[in-house]
Amino acid sequence: MDGLHIIASLYRCRGDARYLVDAEPLRAFCVDAINRSGLTVVDALFHRFPGSDGGANGGVTGCIVLAESHLAIHTWPELQSVTLDIFACNHSQDNSARAGAVVDDIVAIFKPQEIARHDLVRLGPGHQIPAPLVARA
Amino acid sequence: MDGLHIIASLYRCRGDARYLVDAEPLRAFCVDAINRSGLTVVDALFHRFPGSDGGANGGVTGCIVLAESHLAIHTWPELQSVTLDIFACNHSQDNSARAGAVVDDIVAIFKPQEIARHDLVRLGPGHQIPAPLVARA
């Protein structure tokens, strides 16, 4: 159950705005990014919320079950922002770099001008909790 | 997009072992706990993995899309452990206590002898990142 849990917030996104409001291309991109990384998609659930005006400017929440744990992503089009986290356990190998590659791919499409990221190393029983690495870029 | 993200690992669980290996009661319990808390379930995706012997002792991964963000949970029956996280954004009200109530309910059924928990306050752009509260019980 050891593994890396990356938690990131992407602010002032200047990338393709379609990914902020349209569930299907966001789902497809995330699935492809996971496949490219070498992690394994089991199933995915994406939901588009109605916009504040009842229209199409609502955000998207997506959850992907991985063989190695999960990815969750939320878009906030009204704030041009995205929150995401990915937990990749190291069942048969160290998957930390794979989780990082997925985050990097998602950052690349949203093109945020500011990022807050926590890298939380999760360990089994009896370990000290390491301080998370915190970065703001 | 402000909100509380609680990340917890539950070790040496001594509760009802059914919840470690059986997706449907775990899904039903999590959905009920969320409803009790006042948060809102949009949809849920639970998957049971085959055991290491190909049998029924595999773990479960569940993701629940909330109107307020998400819950993700993974069971590790071979380690009698559970990892979970819940992110509840404060779109219309402060949902921190509701997220905490869901975690408390899940802890109550698994009865872990050891818990590691991070409470991560997520904020919008331009804020400093607060240090997460870390607790080991």
Side-chain angles (χ1 to χ4, degrees):
Chain A
M1 61 188 293
D2 298 2
L4 179 63
H5 199 148
I6 302 174
I7 298 149
S9 298
L10 319 183
Y11 305 113
R12 300 197 302 275
C13 295
R14 296 288 182 259
D16 185 340
R18 180 179 51 138
Y19 292 111
L20 290 171
V21 294
D22 203 340
E24 177 47 33
L26 181 61
R27 187 201 63 75
F29 185 87
C30 290
V31 166
D32 288 347
I34 291 164
N35 288 336
R36 276 194 300 275
S37 77
L39 298 174
T40 305
V41 172
V42 173
D43 208 345
L45 177 63
F46 276 67
H47 178 82
R48 182 185 196 163
F49 291 92
S52 54
D53 61 354
N57 66 337
V60 175
T61 286
C63 292
I64 301 181
V65 173
L66 307 177
E68 300 82 5
S69 290
H70 76 272
L71 176 142
I73 187 165
H74 312 279
T75 71
W76 311 84
E78 70 279 25
L79 301 169
Q80 292 178 287
S81 294
V82 174
T83 51
L84 72 129
D85 66 284
I86 180 168
F87 176 32
C89 72
N90 303 326
H91 185 62
S92 56
Q93 60 184 348
D94 184 344
N95 285 310
S96 304
R98 293 177 179 83
V102 173
V103 173
D104 290 346
D105 270 8
I106 292 172
V107 167
I109 58 163
F110 284 112
K111 298 183 174 40
Q113 296 189 308
E114 184 184 356
I115 302 173
R117 174 172 161 166
H118 292 72
D119 283 21
L120 181 66
V121 177
R122 302 183 73 165
L123 297 171
H127 291 275
Q128 292 296 312
I129 300 177
L133 294 175
V134 178
R136 187 148 206 132
Chain B
M1 63 187 294
D2 298 2
L4 178 63
H5 200 149
I6 301 173
I7 298 148
S9 299
L10 318 183
Y11 305 114
R12 300 197 302 275
C13 294
R14 297 288 182 257
D16 186 339
R18 181 180 50 139
Y19 292 111
L20 289 171
V21 294
D22 204 340
E24 177 47 32
L26 181 61
R27 186 202 63 76
F29 184 87
C30 290
V31 166
D32 287 348
I34 291 163
N35 289 335
R36 277 193 298 276
S37 77
L39 298 174
T40 305
V41 172
V42 173
D43 207 345
L45 177 62
F46 277 67
H47 178 82
R48 182 185 196 164
F49 291 91
S52 53
D53 61 354
N57 65 338
V60 174
T61 286
C63 292
I64 301 181
V65 172
L66 307 177
E68 301 83 4
S69 289
H70 77 272
L71 175 142
I73 187 166
H74 312 278
T75 70
W76 311 83
E78 70 279 26
L79 300 170
Q80 292 178 288
S81 295
V82 174
T83 51
L84 71 129
D85 66 284
I86 180 167
F87 176 33
C89 72
N90 303 326
H91 185 61
S92 57
Q93 59 184 349
D94 184 344
N95 285 310
S96 304
R98 293 177 178 83
V102 174
V103 173
D104 290 346
D105 271 8
I106 292 172
V107 167
I109 57 162
F110 284 112
K111 299 183 174 38
Q113 296 189 308
E114 185 185 355
I115 302 173
R117 174 172 160 166
H118 291 74
D119 282 22
L120 182 66
V121 177
R122 304 183 72 164
L123 297 171
H127 291 274
Q128 292 298 312
I129 300 178
L133 295 175
V134 177
R136 185 147 209 133

